[in-house]
Amino acid sequence: IPWNPFVIAGFRSLIASFVLLAYIKKTGMKLRLNRRTISIALVTGITFLLFVSANKLTTAANAIALQYTAPVFLLGISAVFLHQRFRFGDVLAVVLTLCGIALFFFDKLEPGQLFGNLVAVAAGLTMSLMFLLTGNSDDETRMGGIYFAHLLTAAVGVPLAFFYETQITQAAVLSILALGIVQLGIPYVLYGLASRRCSPLTCSLISVVEPILNPVWVLIFDGEAPGIFALVGGAAVVLTVTVWCVWKDRTEKAAKADSAAEPAMQNT
């Protein structure tokens, strides 16, 4: 799409907002406008703008890989500001995941394009805040915040179409429709549903599977085969995320069982 990145982000979110609004109406949710929804809207809208900009300023591999520094930011934010303690397994999972991503793109990351890389890292920071805020919100607040994020992004990006050259071609229109509906609208409905059952760190870690799929699409549609580092890194990420999720689920169940058994022991 040969448009300014903010224009792309704006029209993409405008289309996605209709998808999200249809879901909200279908489920009977009420749109809430409060401090939490505004906070979610701001960090999510900024994430949209930063990520699309990073894709224009640097390579797609760089943008995806660097945005997924989000788990590291999430751990740091939670530890410093929320005083949460994370077990060694949580930290190890984040470290191994990031190492896997580094290996995955080791033969694709290129020097230069420094500003684009920094924009992608900034997107990782705002994405971690999005995970944190949406993960600790109820359904209506969460979905309302994401909906207003789309409106905010559209309000910023769409008017810029009048100031930057925006060629209206069939390919561009079909692409922006695909981005708005398939790539952003439907997935954020699914993300909102997942957030009610998964912790912020879980959402952040599971979502790192996304960059693994990027070179798969490239291989299918463009014929570019991943290198050995990409294959090893992809296997490391999938294995780490899978093992971590199983481990976390079992430890949480064991902790709940111990908590339930403790009063019974005291009564006997």
Side-chain angles (χ1 to χ4, degrees), residues 89-90 92-93 96-97 205-206 235-251:
D90 294 327
L92 181 62
L96 292 177
T97 298
L205 278 171
I206 291 176
V237 170
V238 172
L239 182 62
T240 299
V241 171
T242 303
V243 171
W244 180 82
C245 288
V246 172
W247 169 80
K248 191 173 182 66
D249 181 66
R250 290 184 176 179
T251 52

Side-chain angles (χ1 to χ4, degrees), residues 1 3 8 11-13 15-16 19 170-187:
I1 305 175
W3 300 353
I8 295 174
F11 277 101
R12 183 182 73 152
S13 282
I15 296 166
V19 177
Q170 182 179 13
V173 171
L174 291 176
S175 296
I176 204 71
L177 286 172
L179 287 177
I181 298 171
V182 181
Q183 188 266 328
L184 194 64
I186 295 173

